[in-house]
């Protein structure tokens, strides 16, 4: 049996581990679907443009879970995920909303579209800068700081959902003077310091879990039969939940501040003689 040259024995292995290929492939697919929305927007295929961004959001929610399941987390995957999020949930929604509505506001339409992409990039840069921080109380409690990038993209496209749901009946939904302030508001929410709900902060009591399964099934049926009204309700419900998330985290902080510090083991000098 040939012996390994000592010069190469301790050399670190290059490349991506096999267990990390699957989650990174899902992340790359999310990037492709998100960027494809620009192509559909250029062709004025608005349903497909929205659908590909939503599909990118679903894939973005799966890649991290697949990585944890396969123990394939890596710094490479974290960086790729952030780059994918900037394109799929920052650049693509900005271009879609500009081509759909904001281009009809010649002076400020492109600036508003840029604000969404820039705020998404700033949010992800802030996240990457804190990824190695040892103390992250909001993350530990299951909350986000500001709304996450996929939710920001979905919320920014609410006027487009409403327009697709009601057609030409309400022209206000496509008006740049309605879309512009809405887009600017969602951009600000992404870079804000407001605590918002994350999956880790949601708790279901045992007596309502069975009913929650039925509700999820009904929501799935509604998305298939009436996707645009259902997505509109989703976006509005998420926006309404934002102040409740901040209130819930404030309660968590107060409970943490009121909790007594852990008792330390007495030293020999503290023991009675």
């Amino acid at each position: 049996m040939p012996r390994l040259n000592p010069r190469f024995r301790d050399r670190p292995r290059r490349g991506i581990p096999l267990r990390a290929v699957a989650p990174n492939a899902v992340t790359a697919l999310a990037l492709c679907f998100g960027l494809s929305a620009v192509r559909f927007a250029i062709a004025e295929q608005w349903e497909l443009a929205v659908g590909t961004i939503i599909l990118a959001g679903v894939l973005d929610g799966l890649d991290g879970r697949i990585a944890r399941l396969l123990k394939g987390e890596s710094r490479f995957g974290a960086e790729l995920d952030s780059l994918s999020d900037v394109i799929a949930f920052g650049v693509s929604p900005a271009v879609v909303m500009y081509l759909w509505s904001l281009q009809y506001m010649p002076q400020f339409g492109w600036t508003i579209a840029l604000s969404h992409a820039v705020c998404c990039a700033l949010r992800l840069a802030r996240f990457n800068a804190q990824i190695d921080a040892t103390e992250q109380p909001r993350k530990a409690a299951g909350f986000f700081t500001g709304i996450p990038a996929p939710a920001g993209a979905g919320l920014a496209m609410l006027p487009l959902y409403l327009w697709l749901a009601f057609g030409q009946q309400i022209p206000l939904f496509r008006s740049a003077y309605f879309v512009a302030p809405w887009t600017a508001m969602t951009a600000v929410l992404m870079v804000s310091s407001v605590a918002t709900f994350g999956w880790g902060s949601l708790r279901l009591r045992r007596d309502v879990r069975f009913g929650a399964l039925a509700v999820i099934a009904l929501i799935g049926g509604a998305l298939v039969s009436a996707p645009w009204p259902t997505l509109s309700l989703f976006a509005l419900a998420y926006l309404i939940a934002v102040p409740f998330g901040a209130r819930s985290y404030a309660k968590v902080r107060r409970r943490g501040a009121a909790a007594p510090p852990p008792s330390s083991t007495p030293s020999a000098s503290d023991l009675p003689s």
Side-chain angles (χ1 to χ4, degrees):
M1 179 178 179
R3 298 179 63 183
L4 183 65
N5 191 323
R7 188 175 53 172
F8 302 104
R9 187 175 298 164
D10 298 329
R11 179 175 296 180
R13 295 183 179 180
R14 297 181 179 179
I16 303 173
L18 181 61
R19 62 181 179 273
V21 171
N24 288 321
V26 174
T27 303
L29 283 175
L31 187 156
C32 293
F33 278 111
L35 192 56
S36 296
V38 176
R39 182 257 185 193
F40 292 124
I42 293 172
E44 297 188 358
Q45 296 175 301
W46 308 115
E47 296 90 345
L48 291 175
V50 173
T52 50
I53 292 177
I54 292 173
L55 184 55
V58 173
L59 293 174
D60 181 72
L62 292 176
D63 58 0
R65 287 164 176 79
I66 294 174
R68 287 188 290 272
L69 180 65
L70 299 178
K71 298 182 179 179
E73 303 99 324
S74 65
R75 190 58 184 253
F76 174 86
E79 297 295 337
L80 178 62
D81 185 71
S82 292
L83 292 172
S84 173
D85 287 355
V86 169
I87 294 173
F89 310 121
V91 175
S92 292
V95 175
V96 169
M97 298 306 289
Y98 177 78
L99 293 176
W100 176 66
S101 172
L102 293 174
Q103 65 172 321
Y104 302 111
M105 182 183 283
Q107 293 182 335
F108 301 106
W110 181 240
T111 304
I112 297 296
L114 283 176
S115 71
H116 177 88
V118 170
C119 287
C120 183
L122 290 174
R123 171 188 169 74
L124 293 166
R126 179 178 65 184
F127 176 81
N128 287 347
Q130 298 174 350
I131 198 168
D132 294 326
T134 56
E135 292 186 7
Q136 299 187 53
R138 291 188 178 183
K139 184 177 180 180
F143 290 83
F144 294 114
T145 300
I147 62 176
L155 200 59
M157 293 188 296
L158 175 61
L160 182 50
Y161 305 154
L162 294 170
W163 182 78
L164 290 171
F166 299 103
Q168 303 296 327
Q169 300 175 13
I170 307 179
L172 172 66
F173 294 142
R174 197 173 185 177
S175 171
Y177 297 96
F178 170 71
V179 176
W182 180 265
T183 305
M185 181 196 70
T186 57
V188 170
L189 284 175
M190 280 195 289
V191 295
S192 69
S193 298
V194 177
T196 58
F197 286 117
W199 291 112
S201 63
L202 301 177
R203 300 288 188 272
L204 287 178
R205 298 194 306 270
R206 289 182 177 274
D207 55 342
V208 300
R209 291 175 185 175
F210 185 80
L213 293 175
V215 172
I216 293 172
L218 291 175
I219 291 174
L223 283 171
V224 173
S225 59
W228 310 121
T230 305
L231 286 172
S232 300
L233 291 174
F234 255 66
L236 289 172
Y238 184 85
L239 183 64
I240 293 171
V242 168
F244 290 97
R247 180 183 176 185
S248 179
Y249 178 69
K251 291 181 178 179
V252 172
R253 286 190 62 185
R254 286 196 295 269
R255 286 199 298 266
S263 58
S264 58
T265 303
S267 61
S269 60
D270 295 328
L271 295 175
S273 56

